[in-house]
Amino acid sequence: MVKTIGIVTSGGDAPGMNAAIRAVTRVAACRDVQMLGFERGWDGLLSNCYRKLTPRNVGGIIQTGGTILHTLRCPAFEQPQSIEVAAETLRQNNVDALVVIGGDGSFRGALELSKRSGVPMIGIPATIDNDVYGTDETIGFDTAVNTAVGAIDKIRDTAISHERIFIVEVMGRKRGFLALEVGICVGAEVILIPEKPLDTCDVIKIMEASSKKGKRAGIIVAAEGFGDSSKLTQEMQKQTSSEVRLSIVGYSQRGGSPTARSRLLASLFAEKAVNLICEGKGNLVVGLQNGVISSLDMEKSARGSKPLDLRLLQVAEMLSV
Ligand code: F6P
């Protein structure tokens, strides 16, 4: 019988992580399971630093960004000695299962820890990059899309006033999920993503064609993983008659109050995670697949590469005529 579940947030934070911590804690309480929240990502398992989570002390956080447990990137966790220390922490505290809220890197760490400790892991995908294999959407993605769209709508105003081209860089690590969705939602003239590289000449051609159609300003949304947006800005400035500016949306995409959608996803993923643990299952990642809350083998999720629907680029092109 499951008596104690540990929970940790790891890697880059994402809006909705708190909603997930709250929901896991409350569903666990409904099943008479106590919750230990490990602090500062994997570091909390290395230093045996945790706090007991109760339905009351996770109150008032569903609407907050960040993670009350804090998080960090923990390269030390890749070493076998560290994994053993973390495994000992789990044993010492009689942790029956661990919920890991994060991205694919966190799930790879979790798998190593499970191998060493025998403790089952359940992953809850939370990253603004939306790059976790096995789920159509991750916690925080929708919030980050909305944050970037809000920022770019304002940039569009000044772009129009000054008749300028703006290259706006959004996050997304090595993938273009965020840029693609943001690009469609702001009506970008060009979307630059790592999955479909374009060179400077291609971008200039598109912007010149756009200008010939009567557009006097333009927005180019570039995924950070696409390449050097500063270099692209300089090259476009030199090779065209337009004024070109670069704006990087940056870390604001990682913060802020989660949207209703991010909160809902967090709550449903959390409920599924606790249910799986109580059913005796482990080493799975919960996810949203075709509208259904489901789960996938953690190994598959951690190693898999999530496909990006490139048809969306064609839609974006048609919409920017
Ligand atoms: O994975 C989330 C993310 O914000 C990426 O979009 C970005 O590339 C990275 O984290 C930044 O990482 P750090 O917080 O370590 O600077």
Side-chain angles (χ1 to χ4, degrees):
M1 198 163 110
V2 178
K3 286 193 179 146
T4 303
I5 298 178
I7 187 166
V8 63
T9 48
S10 162
D13 61 354
M17 279 184 162
N18 281 334
I21 294 168
R22 166 187 180 271
V24 168
T25 302
R26 291 188 172 181
V27 176
C30 292
R31 309 222 183 300
D32 285 327
V33 175
Q34 72 155 346
M35 288 297 309
L36 305 185
F38 288 94
E39 311 263 357
R40 306 181 70 239
W42 294 125
D43 194 53
L45 282 118
L46 298 179
S47 53
N48 195 16
C49 179
Y50 65 84
R51 67 173 111 158
K52 287 194 175 163
L53 298 175
T54 67
R56 290 290 65 75
N57 69 18
V58 296
I61 65 169
I62 192 170
Q63 75 278 24
T64 60
T67 157
I68 57 162
L69 292 175
H70 303 275
T71 183
L72 45 72
R73 304 204 189 270
C74 189
F77 203 66
E78 279 155 31
Q79 291 150 16
Q81 315 90 284
S82 304
I83 305 278
E84 180 47 40
V85 174
E88 183 49 33
T89 300
L90 294 177
R91 279 181 221 119
Q92 218 178 308
N93 296 297
N94 298 315
V95 173
D96 297 305
L98 186 70
V99 173
V100 179
I101 305 177
D104 54 358
S106 307
F107 301 154
R108 282 191 283 277
L111 283 167
E112 291 308 313
L113 180 55
S114 183
K115 271 185 214 151
R116 183 60 72 119
S117 63
V119 173
M121 305 280 149
I122 297 289
I124 296 186
T127 160
I128 64 161
D129 304 330
N130 199 24
D131 59 352
V132 176
Y133 183 83
T135 185
D136 297 341
E137 192 176 329
T138 53
I139 296 170
F141 176 66
D142 182 66
T143 309
V145 169
N146 279 286
T147 300
V149 166
I152 300 173
D153 284 347
K154 294 184 178 94
I155 292 170
R156 174 78 81 178
D157 291 342
T158 178
I160 291 170
S161 306
H162 286 262
E163 301 181 344
R164 283 175 173 164
I165 292 173
F166 269 84
I167 295 172
V168 187
E169 185 184 293
V170 298
M171 281 189 164
R173 211 166 48 144
K174 295 180 180 156
R175 303 301 307 273
F177 293 97
L178 189 57
L180 190 49
E181 233 171 79
V182 168
I184 291 175
C185 294
V186 299
E189 276 63 37
V190 183
I191 302 173
L192 299 173
I193 54 174
E195 292 84 351
K196 186 98 186 1
L198 290 181
D199 61 24
T200 307
C201 290
D202 298 326
V203 181
I204 290 175
K205 269 188 211 147
I206 299 171
M207 294 315 289
E208 281 174 352
S210 168
S211 158
K212 281 194 188 121
K213 283 183 271 180
K215 293 195 185 186
R216 302 169 75 90
I219 297 287
I220 298 171
V221 172
E224 63 176 343
F226 166 80
D228 188 340
S229 41
S230 166
K231 192 167 156 225
L232 175 65
T233 310
Q234 284 161 21
E235 286 175 356
M236 286 191 66
Q237 180 70 73
K238 266 193 218 142
Q239 296 173 36
T240 67
S241 54
S242 307
E243 277 193 306
V244 188
R245 295 286 188 273
L246 172 64
S247 186
I248 296 174
V249 183
Y251 286 89
S252 62
Q253 292 161 105
R254 284 243 297 261
S257 178
T259 57
R261 182 158 180 84
S262 290
R263 297 179 202 191
L264 182 67
L265 211 55
S267 304
L268 299 181
F269 280 178
E271 193 248 0
K272 178 80 176 174
V274 177
N275 285 346
L276 288 170
I277 291 170
C278 292
E279 286 164 16
K281 295 187 181 142
N283 294 3
L284 297 169
V285 172
V286 301
L288 180 73
Q289 291 171 11
N290 300 319
V292 179
I293 304 291
S294 45
S295 63
L296 181 81
D297 180 65
M298 190 178 268
E299 189 89 43
K300 269 194 195 155
S301 173
R303 313 272 168 225
S305 173
K306 180 170 165 177
L308 179 73
D309 185 358
L310 288 174
R311 281 176 314 137
L312 292 185
L313 262 187
Q314 292 164 11
V315 173
E317 257 171 52
M318 283 191 287
L319 297 181
S320 69
V321 286

